[in-house]
Amino acid sequence: MTSSERDGRLGEEFFTPGTSSFTEFLAAHRPALLPMRRPFPDGVRAAPDRFPHGTTVLALTYRDGVLIAGDRRATMGNLIAQRDLEKVHPADDHTAVAFAGTVGLALDMVKLYQVELKHFEKIEGIPMTLQAKANRLAGMIRQNLGQAMQGLAVVPLLAGYDAKAPEGARGRIFDFEVTGGPYEKYDFHAEGSGSPYARGALKKLFRAGMSRREAALAALHALYDAADDDSATGGPDLNRRIFPTVSVITEDGFERLPESETAQLSREMVDQRHRRPDGPNAMP
């Protein structure tokens, strides 16, 4: 702590022109506050059953923008650590991020990313482009590579509405690898332990120009299929009234579907599965 801080005054670094990146500012002046720092000595790895992990998240484009959703379960080894985890978070008005991986680290990274976008807009006076937001998140993931190699990986999924994109292609999805590489995905994508099953379901159910209701039902069916084959993914819990998180991003901004709507759609989807356990056929 500097003498200025002990006196209750901001340090000189807060008044010195510098980068528009809040993450770089912290790295230069308060690196201990960054979540992306190695927690263990070299050669030591995290025990796989000691930290809660989030599982399946997905996104798909639809007529008005993009939908992003996630199950609610977090696991710790073979135990259910949490049944109502929120894995989908707004990053700003027209962008959302969902995560799979180490929960505590992921939540810290999401909060830092939210501040990063606000800081840039305040410093530069304009919001980032969606591609720039993806690149900035990629840089944060790259800084976390040391922890990922120690067993504390975070794999985010970024979705946003790009008003500058051509009509019909304004909902965009970005996937990231553990080294920070950003990859744009078209139509749909899923991440997490149940993602192979969720992607298989979306490959069957996705079609261009779906309504919000159709897209939400497709997402719920995909999460149901993921939970059916992956023990770390939680399906809709009708008894506890815990349902997947479903949000949309359109020209009007980020909106989480009301709990009542998600509950009604989840019950409708489960009822369909009672009549047809393997789920609906591919759309014509």
Side-chain angles (χ1 to χ4, degrees):
M1 182 178 291
T2 66
S3 59
S4 296
E5 289 173 317
R6 284 193 293 270
D7 295 338
R9 294 180 287 116
L10 293 176
E12 183 181 346
E13 63 270 19
F14 289 93
F15 302 97
T16 303
T19 176
S20 60
S21 169
F22 185 73
T23 304
E24 291 178 7
F25 176 82
L26 281 185
H29 302 288
R30 299 293 187 277
L33 297 178
L34 286 170
M36 296 87 71
R37 57 185 186 276
R38 296 174 72 89
F40 310 118
D42 289 341
V44 177
R45 287 182 55 85
D49 59 349
R50 290 291 184 268
F51 300 93
H53 277 68
T55 48
T56 308
V57 294
L58 60 84
L60 66 153
T61 59
Y62 74 107
R63 184 172 59 206
D64 299 322
V66 61
L67 179 147
I68 185 166
D71 82 307
R72 305 288 295 277
R73 179 174 292 178
T75 58
M76 192 163 57
N78 64 336
L79 302 176
I80 297 176
Q82 189 172 346
R83 301 178 187 275
D84 59 352
L85 178 66
E86 295 287 343
K87 303 176 187 175
V88 178
H89 301 268
D92 63 13
D93 290 342
H94 289 88
T95 317
V97 61
F99 67 84
T102 308
V103 173
L105 181 59
L107 291 174
D108 282 348
M109 190 178 292
V110 168
K111 292 174 185 175
L112 180 60
Y113 184 58
Q114 291 168 335
V115 175
E116 179 80 6
L117 299 187
K118 290 180 182 177
H119 182 77
F120 177 91
E121 187 168 351
K122 288 179 179 179
I123 296 297
E124 299 293 337
I126 56 172
M128 284 188 195
T129 64
L130 187 55
Q131 183 65 56
K133 293 174 188 177
N135 292 340
R136 191 61 61 93
L137 183 55
M140 293 174 61
I141 298 167
R142 196 172 298 116
Q143 293 176 34
N144 187 57
L145 182 59
Q147 283 181 293
M149 295 298 100
Q150 290 183 311
L152 299 176
V154 176
V155 183
L157 186 62
L158 183 72
Y161 183 86
D162 188 352
K164 297 181 179 180
E167 185 73 32
R170 293 179 177 170
R172 300 176 66 186
I173 302 166
F174 291 89
D175 173 45
F176 303 85
E177 46 148 312
V178 72
T179 61
Y183 305 96
E184 183 164 5
K185 301 295 183 177
Y186 298 96
D187 298 334
F188 60 84
H189 192 65
E191 276 297 347
S193 58
S195 61
Y197 315 108
R199 285 198 296 268
L202 289 174
K203 188 174 183 180
K204 176 179 69 171
L205 299 175
F206 177 85
R207 62 181 175 84
M210 288 190 293
S211 67
R212 184 173 98 161
R213 173 183 168 80
E214 290 169 335
L217 274 173
L220 291 171
H221 274 291
L223 290 172
Y224 187 97
D225 280 343
D228 197 35
D229 286 296
D230 174 45
S231 62
T233 302
D237 191 332
L238 303 184
N239 291 331
R240 294 184 177 88
R241 296 180 176 83
I242 299 173
F243 305 100
T245 302
V246 182
S247 299
V248 295
I249 313 168
T250 66
E251 183 178 12
D252 296 327
F254 175 91
E255 178 191 358
R256 174 171 171 166
L257 269 61
E259 189 78 11
S260 58
E261 182 177 353
T262 308
Q264 188 273 325
L265 290 172
S266 295
R267 291 189 175 95
E268 180 179 333
M269 182 269 299
V270 170
D271 185 58
Q272 291 175 6
R273 289 302 182 114
H274 285 159
R275 298 193 303 271
R276 191 183 185 96
D278 292 335
N281 291 329
M283 300 296 291

